[in-house]
Each structure stands twice: as structure tokens, then as C-alpha cells.
Amino acid sequence: QVQLAESGGGLVQAGGSLRLSCEASARLGNMGWYRQAPGKQRELVAVITVSGTTNYGDSVKGRFTISRDNAKNTVTLQMNSLKSEDTAVYYCNGRGIIREYWGQGTQVTVSS
């Protein structure tokens, strides 16, 4: 069982920045971040492959940057120019050989 430990959520004013980090207890394939706002479905924020190829949700392109350190089994999400609509619980995700894993979620709240 692979564990994902997230950190870095919190409260920030609109236009500000936050950095989320996720550490996996073992090496995983694709890793990424998803988010879920109240009353909405969980959506992709960003994903990164082992080789560093990235993909972003349309609403965060140009503002968020995902990166990973394969040696440390970590993935980081740098969030800039935050908007109130970015408020959500953010979940780290990692793909294993036969299943995917999820973190417990970290709250990000952007005040306008």
C-alpha cells in the first residue's frame, strides 16, 4: 500500500501564491493533482509523467506549474495568481502498476 502525504494548503488572498507538496512512500508512474470544490465533481488540475511531460486543466494553464523529483518520490504544485474559484480540496494522485493512489486532501481557500 503506497501512502501519499500532502502539505502546503491554506488560506490566501486572491492574486497570491501557494505551493502544494506530495510525498509518496514508493515510486509511482504518473503523478498529479486533482481538486474538488463543494457541490462539484473532482477535476484534473495537473499531471506529470515520470519523464516530466505535463498536462494542465484549462482553468489553471499559465498560472500553475507542476514538477516532480523522482529521487524523492515527490510532486509539487506551484500555484500563482490564485482566484476565488481555485478554492477547493486538492488531492494528490499517483499511478501504480495495477492501481492508483490518493492522498487525504488539503484545503486551499482563496479569499476575494
Side-chain angles (χ1 to χ4, degrees), residues 9-46:
L11 174 65
V12 65
Q13 289 189 331
S17 298
L18 277 177
R19 187 179 181 90
L20 304 183
S21 295
C22 173
E23 181 175 0
S25 59
R27 183 176 175 121
L28 294 170
N30 291 3
M31 296 188 73
W33 292 90
Y34 291 72
R35 68 186 182 187
Q36 187 166 20
K40 295 187 177 181
Q41 290 188 333
R42 191 172 296 189
E43 64 174 357
L44 169 72
V45 177

Side-chain angles (χ1 to χ4, degrees), residues 34-77:
Y34 291 72
R35 68 186 182 187
Q36 187 166 20
K40 295 187 177 181
Q41 290 188 333
R42 191 172 296 189
E43 64 174 357
L44 169 72
V45 177
V47 65
I48 185 168
T49 67
V50 173
S51 61
T53 300
T54 58
N55 187 39
Y56 295 90
D58 288 341
S59 62
V60 307
K61 286 180 180 177
R63 300 187 297 123
F64 291 10
T65 302
I66 190 171
S67 60
R68 69 186 290 168
D69 185 332
N70 292 330
K72 297 181 180 179
N73 297 328
T74 60
V75 61
T76 300
L77 184 69

